[in-house]
Amino acid sequence: SIEKCLNDNPLQLSPGIERLVETLSNNGVDVYLVSGGFRSMIEPIAKTLCVSKTNIIANTIFFDERTPTGEYTGFCRDEPTSADMGKPKAVQQIKDKHGYTTVVMVGDGATDAQAKPPADAFIGFGGVVVREAVKEKACWFVRDFDSMTAVIENFGKNKLKK
């Protein structure tokens, strides 16, 4: 099961992500996790990062709980990330639902880069692996989250109010 897999192989966060999300939140920035992965694997990450489950857009997979092994039965096709170009759809849904005028997508893959537009900017992340296609499409490319945190601390909303 996915739960057993997560228990046997806990997901590891990239260094600095917890501080980045905390800094964004402290500056009044809403954080969303938009993933082509499975919600059941993203929720523990969201919990660690103090991101609400309502701010997760990811794929929901279905299992038959009546069987001893919980057989896979499919996935929710209503999730925008369940299809090609899903991340741009997800970002547009977030903007439409909440009226955000500026959305910045951060990611390490080609599907993250696809989200601009409707995202107003794309920050490429190369802390685990550098992908040239991501680097080329990024408005800003970083290899660690600390550099992003430093910018927010120096120029964030709370800093500008002083």
Side-chain angles (χ1 to χ4, degrees):
S1 75
I2 289 179
E3 287 179 22
K4 181 179 180 337
C5 178
L6 288 172
N7 287 333
D8 293 348
N9 307 286
L11 298 172
Q12 296 179 354
L13 297 176
S14 294
I17 187 63
E18 291 174 275
R19 185 166 159 249
L20 172 62
V21 171
E22 180 181 17
T23 303
L24 287 165
S25 296
N26 289 343
N27 277 271
V29 176
D30 294 328
V31 175
Y32 290 80
L33 301 179
V34 179
S35 175
F38 301 124
R39 180 176 296 279
S40 56
M41 296 183 83
I42 304 303
E43 286 179 350
I45 295 169
K47 184 176 181 181
T48 298
L49 297 175
C50 298
V51 172
S52 170
K53 285 184 180 182
T54 60
N55 287 16
I56 299 171
I57 297 178
N59 296 307
T60 301
I61 51 178
F62 302 123
F63 299 96
D64 186 345
E65 301 298 328
R66 298 169 294 173
T67 63
T69 57
E71 299 294 319
Y72 169 80
T73 59
F75 62 93
C76 179
R77 296 183 188 281
D78 294 333
E79 296 283 3
T81 53
S82 70
D84 186 39
M85 296 299 289
K87 289 184 182 178
K89 291 175 195 164
V91 170
Q92 190 62 59
Q93 285 179 1
I94 291 167
K95 288 179 92 170
D96 293 346
K97 182 176 181 180
H98 300 284
Y100 299 126
T101 55
T102 304
V103 171
V104 177
M105 180 70 156
V106 178
D108 65 353
T111 60
D112 299 308
Q114 287 176 338
K116 179 187 176 283
D120 301 282
F122 170 62
I123 300 174
F125 178 69
V128 177
V129 62
V130 174
R131 294 182 176 97
E132 287 305 315
V134 171
K135 195 173 179 180
E136 289 171 14
K137 292 182 180 180
C139 301
W140 182 28
F141 189 82
V142 298
R143 286 184 162 83
D144 63 71
F145 289 117
D146 293 338
S147 54
M148 292 173 59
T149 302
V151 168
I152 297 160
E153 288 174 341
N154 289 324
F155 302 103
K157 287 183 183 178
N158 291 337
K159 192 72 165 183
L160 295 175
K161 289 179 184 175
K162 293 180 180 177

